[in-house]
Amino acid sequence: MNAVRNSVVSAVLTVLAAFGANAQVDAALLSGDIDLARIDALITENAESPAVVFDLLGEKSRQEARTGNLRAAADTAAVRAAFAARNSGVFAADLPALFWDAGDLYRQAGETDLALEQLYAALEALRDGAANRLLTGSLMREIARLEETAGREDTAIALYAGADALPAPLQEPPPSRSDAPGYVSVNIYYATDRARSGRSIPSRFYGHQRSDGLEYGLANVTIPKVRQPGTISAPSVWKLEFSEDPAKHVMLQSVTPVSSDDFFGVMRKDLDAQSATDAFVFVHGYNVSFDAAAKRTAQLAYDMNFKGLPILYSWPSRGATVGYISDTAVVRLSGRRLTRFLEDLVEQSGARTIHIVAHSMGNRAVTDALELMALRRAPVETPVFEQVIFAAPDVDQGLFAEMLSTIQPLARRLTLYASENDWALEASRKLHGNAPRAGQGGKGLLVHGTIDSVDMTGLGADMLEHSYVANDHSAILDISTLFWLNLNPGQRCGLTARDDGDLAWEYREQACSSQSLLNVIGLLRNAGARSANDIRQFLSREFGDDQDVQALEPILVNLASE
C-alpha cells in the first residue's frame, strides 16, 4: 500500500507541474498575451514528461498560426509529428493526422516541397496500417495536386491513378458488428458542441473550439476481435507498430454529421431494427479529444455487448495535458447544452430506458444538466433515466452533495464510483484550495442518502490511469449488471458494505471479475432473461455443455434470485 501511495504522490506532483504549465499557457490564451518564449521554457522544464511536451508543441504551433507565422507553425507541427513518432511507445498519437497537419501548414505557407515531405510521411503511416481507403485516396489526391504545382506531372498522374485504383469505400455505414477479419465495427451516435476543424480526417473532424450550438451525427469505430476488455489499444513502437491497424488497434473510421430531425429518426429506426429499447449516454472528462471519446464510447458498448443506442456527448475539451483551466471554462456552458440534448433524447429517440455514464470533469456538465432538467420538471414524479453513474467526478464534493437531492428524482438509481488513489483528482483537490473532490474515495468517500457510493480503490494500480471505470473489466461488469437488473450494491458481484452502513461500499476482486461473465451478462440482458429460470434456459440453449459458462451459472442465478 505504501508503494501505491508513493506512486500516487509522485504522479500528483507531476500532474500539478503540468497543471501549473497549463495555468500559465491558458492565462496567456485567455488574455491574448501569447508568450511563445514562455512556452519554449515550459517545454524545456517538462522535458522528462513527453506527453506534456507533445501538448505544449501543439499549443506553440497554434499560437504561431494565429499570429500569422505559418512557416514557424509548420516547423513546430513537423517537430511535433516526429516527436510523437519517437515516443509512440509512451503515449498514443494519430501519426498520419499529425504529419498531415504539418503538411497542410507548409502548403498554406507556400512551402510546397516541405509540404510534400510531410504528406508523404502521412501516406506512409496510413499505408503501413489497414487504413481507411477513403482517407488514403483523399491524401493521395492532395499530394498529386501539390506535385502538379511543383511541375511534376508524371508523378501527379501516377498518384491520381493510384487513388482511383483503391477499392471503393463502403457507401453505407457497416453493421454494428461486422464479419470483417480481425475486427468488428461499432456504430455510435454523437452530439457535440465542438466546432468543426475543417478537416476531413475523422480524428481531426472536430477540434477543441466551441461551436454556436449542438451538432449531431454518427461515427463508426473498429475494434480488434482479440484484445483485453476495457482497453483501447494504440500503435506501439516497441511492437514495431508505426500506424493504426484495425485488427490491432481501436480506430475511428468515419464521422458523419446529420440534421437533428434525421438524427432522432435514424435512432428510432435503429431501435426498431434491433428490437431494442435501451440507450446510454457517455460524457467524457478532461484532456479528451473527440477521437478518443468516440473510441471510449464504442469500447464500452462493445465490451458490455450493448444492444441499443451507444451515444457520446462530447464537449470541447482541448484534449491536452495543458488544457485543464480552459476545459473548466467551457464545460459549464456545455452543461446547458447537454440538458437540452437530454430533453430531446427523452422525447424523440424512441428509447424507453436511458442510462448516463459521466467521467471525471464531464460530471460538471452532467450535474449542471440534470439539476436544470429537474428544476424545469419539478415536481418529478417518475424517473426519466434508469441508471446515472458518476465515475470519478472532478466536482467539488460539497457542491455535488447539495445537488444530489435535486437530481435524484430524475433517475431510478444514482451510483458514485470513487478512489483513494486517483492522482488526477488529488491534483485537482490541491488546485481547488484543498477542497475534496466528489470522486475521491478512502476515508473521505462521500456518503449521501440519495446515492450508492462505491469505493473502487481496490482496483489498485489501475487507479493511476484515472479511467478505471472504463479500463478495468470488473468496473464495466458492475455497470453492465446495473444496466441489466438494477441491483442494490450488496447484491452485486465484488461489492462489500463498509463500516459506514448500507450507503457506502467497496470493490473487492473475486470470481465475479471473470471476462466471460461480462460477455454473458450482456447476452442475457439483450435476450431479456431476468429470472433464474430464464437464465438457466438461455445458457442451456446458447452454450450447451460449455464448462466455462456452466461454472458461471451459479453466480448469474444468484444475481437474478436476489
Side-chain angles (χ1 to χ4, degrees), residues 368-446:
D368 282 356
L370 293 180
E371 184 177 48
L372 290 170
M373 193 172 180
L375 291 172
R376 280 197 304 272
R377 288 172 169 256
V380 180
E381 298 178 353
T382 303
V384 179
F385 303 106
E386 181 76 0
Q387 305 297 327
V388 175
I389 296 170
F390 303 99
D394 185 3
V395 181
D396 181 273
Q397 190 180 92
L399 174 62
F400 186 81
E402 286 289 330
M403 300 173 87
L404 285 176
S405 296
T406 303
I407 290 170
Q408 191 277 326
L410 285 175
R412 191 173 178 194
R413 183 182 300 276
L414 302 180
T415 300
L416 167 67
Y417 289 130
S419 172
E420 187 177 12
N421 295 332
D422 193 316
W423 59 260
L425 291 182
E426 179 61 17
S428 176
R429 180 183 67 80
K430 292 182 181 299
L431 288 171
H432 287 89
N434 221 32
R437 317 313 289 164
Q440 292 186 284
K443 294 180 179 179
L445 177 68
L446 172 67

Side-chain angles (χ1 to χ4, degrees), residues 44 60 74 116 119 174 232 276 303 350-351 472 516 530 537-538 550:
T44 300
K60 182 180 179 183
L116 284 168
L119 293 177
I232 295 183
D303 286 346
D472 186 275
S516 299
R530 299 178 63 85
Q537 290 183 0
F538 178 86
Q550 285 182 347

Side-chain angles (χ1 to χ4, degrees), residues 34-65:
I34 299 169
D35 185 358
L36 293 174
R38 180 56 183 148
I39 296 178
D40 284 335
L42 290 168
I43 289 172
T44 300
E45 292 168 14
N46 290 275
E48 299 302 317
S49 302
V52 176
V53 171
F54 175 76
D55 289 336
L56 286 167
L57 286 170
E59 284 293 338
K60 182 180 179 183
S61 181
R62 282 189 286 271
Q63 303 319 318
E64 289 167 333

Side-chain angles (χ1 to χ4, degrees), residues 5 21 24 82 92 94 99 150-151 165 174 192 195 211 239 251 279 294 379 447 460 465 479 491 504 510 545 548 560:
R5 291 183 185 278
Q24 296 176 60
D94 187 342
F99 286 119
T192 185
S211 68
K239 299 178 182 178
M251 295 177 62
V447 178
E465 295 300 325
I479 295 174
Q491 299 171 295
Q510 51 177 252
D545 296 330
D548 288 339

Side-chain angles (χ1 to χ4, degrees), residues 173 176 186-192 215-221 254-256 258-274 278-282 290 293-295 297-298 301 306 308-314 341 345 349:
S176 61
V186 178
N187 292 325
I188 68 167
Y189 295 82
Y190 70 83
T192 185
E215 184 162 282
Y216 307 107
L218 293 90
N220 176 256
V221 176
S254 65
V255 177
T256 307
V258 299
S259 69
S260 59
D261 289 341
D262 289 342
F263 180 74
F264 293 109
V266 173
M267 280 185 166
R268 293 190 293 271
K269 291 179 181 178
D270 192 354
L271 287 173
D272 287 342
Q274 295 186 61
D278 288 15
F280 79 82
V281 180
F282 176 66
F290 180 88
K295 292 175 181 177
T297 307
F306 187 80
L309 307 176
I311 305 166
L312 164 67
Y313 185 89
S314 183
F341 171 68
L345 186 69
S349 68

